[in-house]
Amino acid sequence: MTTRILTGITTTGTPHLGNFAGAIGPAIRASQQPGVDSFYFLADYHALIKCDDPQRIQRSRLEIAATWLAGGLDPDKVTFYRQSDIPEIPELTWLLTCVAGKGLLNRAHAYKASVDKNLENGEDPDAGVSMGLFSYPVLMAADILMFNAHRVPVGRDQVQHVEMARDIGQRFNHLFGQGKEFFTLPEAVIEESVATLPGLDGRKMSKSYDNTIPLFASAKDMKDAISRIVTDSRAPGEAKDPDTSHLFTLFQAFATPAQAQTLRDDLLQGLGWGEAKQRLFQLLDGQLAAPRERYHELLARPADLEDILLAGAAKARRTATPFLEQLREAVGLRSFRNIVQAAPEVAKKAAKSARFVSFREQDGSFRFRLLAADGEQLLLSRTFADGKSAGAVSKRLQQGGEADVRVEGLGFSLWLEGEAVAEGPTFADAQARDAAIARLRAALQPVEA
Ligand code: TRP
């Protein structure tokens, strides 16, 4: 069975080396494995929750799209799209909002943190909290459940959100599934390495600590950042401990075991920090120069990026559109065309006045027709070898047997216990056909004596 892997990236910033090593790189490699079907998307609706700077949103969407493609993501192999190009996502968000408990969302860490901070400052608990922030986990649940993802790679801070997606999906299944599991319940997959790639000062590399190494900016920017990596004050010639050096940790994250061993030995032998930084730069530049070039090429052709993402959205919608159709059905947002039971009086009348008429073909076989009160032929049966079997079938239909109407092009057929027993006329369009099916259903209502 294929495993569906899905993850979103909030488009509020520019990816740095830590994002690449911890999340983007591993996700691209995972997408190249056999037996996986990957969905990667730009969570730009989520970005609006945190950022009201349109320029920054737009810039970040572009840079993140280019980063993934430059890193080797193959848009033909995966489904790569912008969340905001899938109108089914906000629609599903609403269906899920209606089953998500407010109490559940009250417990979301991000919302609770805002409330706690407000209380500490003596403010209204909900000061500055938008409904977007409050409902953030429901939108994320829609992202995940829309595509029935099995596995969702995320950072630690997002695990609770994936668990909420499970809760909400389960509740929807229970309320509307009628024994059918609409939604697959997802599992969070934590990328341990995200937490461990250190930044310039040794803390986790993160934009909020301002300790990042830029990814694709320019070789010079990368070199400048590396020169600012904090080290101890041991001079060249003095032995250095690789295990307490985050410069070494950074090097190790990108090096082969043999390369790491060489640097380890050389540091123990007294290699200077300046020299070690130079080696880290060379290692990173060796790996990033080619994707950096692709990145800048992609940024120079934004219209091509647009095409790639729109094609990705079309692909995603081939799943999302029919699935949402089923979900709408399930909650009761259904077409009026096929309604008959809703008007019992009319249905009863139709049933009472419809009649089965049997007749004999020239070749001696038997058939029957079902005629509406006005004489319209609703059904013509197949041929039967004898009048008795024809009669048995029409009797079963009359008694409201398990008749199953199946649309076939612009016509339809009627099945009884897995066998086609009769068919309707062919119509000029689907609307006329559906109206006739509704009349047939009405005519087949069991009539109480
Ligand atoms: N909230 C996630 C983050 O900030 C991004 C995201 C949005 C996401 N929708 C998702 C991640 C669905 C995984 C699945 O990191």
Side-chain angles (χ1 to χ4, degrees), residues 6-10 41 43 46 50 83 136 139-140 143-144 152-155 157-158 161-162:
L6 174 143
T7 197
I9 312 92
T10 308
F41 67 96
H46 278 100
K50 304 184 186 165
Q83 184 187 30
Y136 185 110
L139 176 57
M140 186 158 156
D143 292 332
I144 298 171
V152 182
V154 283
D157 60 322
Q158 298 292 319
H161 294 154
V162 179

Side-chain angles (χ1 to χ4, degrees), residues 336-369:
F336 286 165
R337 279 218 183 101
N338 297 330
I339 294 179
V340 286
Q341 285 92 332
E345 284 315 309
V346 178
K348 233 182 231 169
K349 230 171 156 181
K352 257 193 187 136
S353 42
R355 53 212 151 94
F356 285 92
V357 181
S358 48
F359 63 99
R360 221 170 155 178
E361 290 282 9
Q362 283 188 343
D363 66 2
S365 64
F366 292 80
R367 282 190 199 256
F368 61 83
R369 302 182 209 275

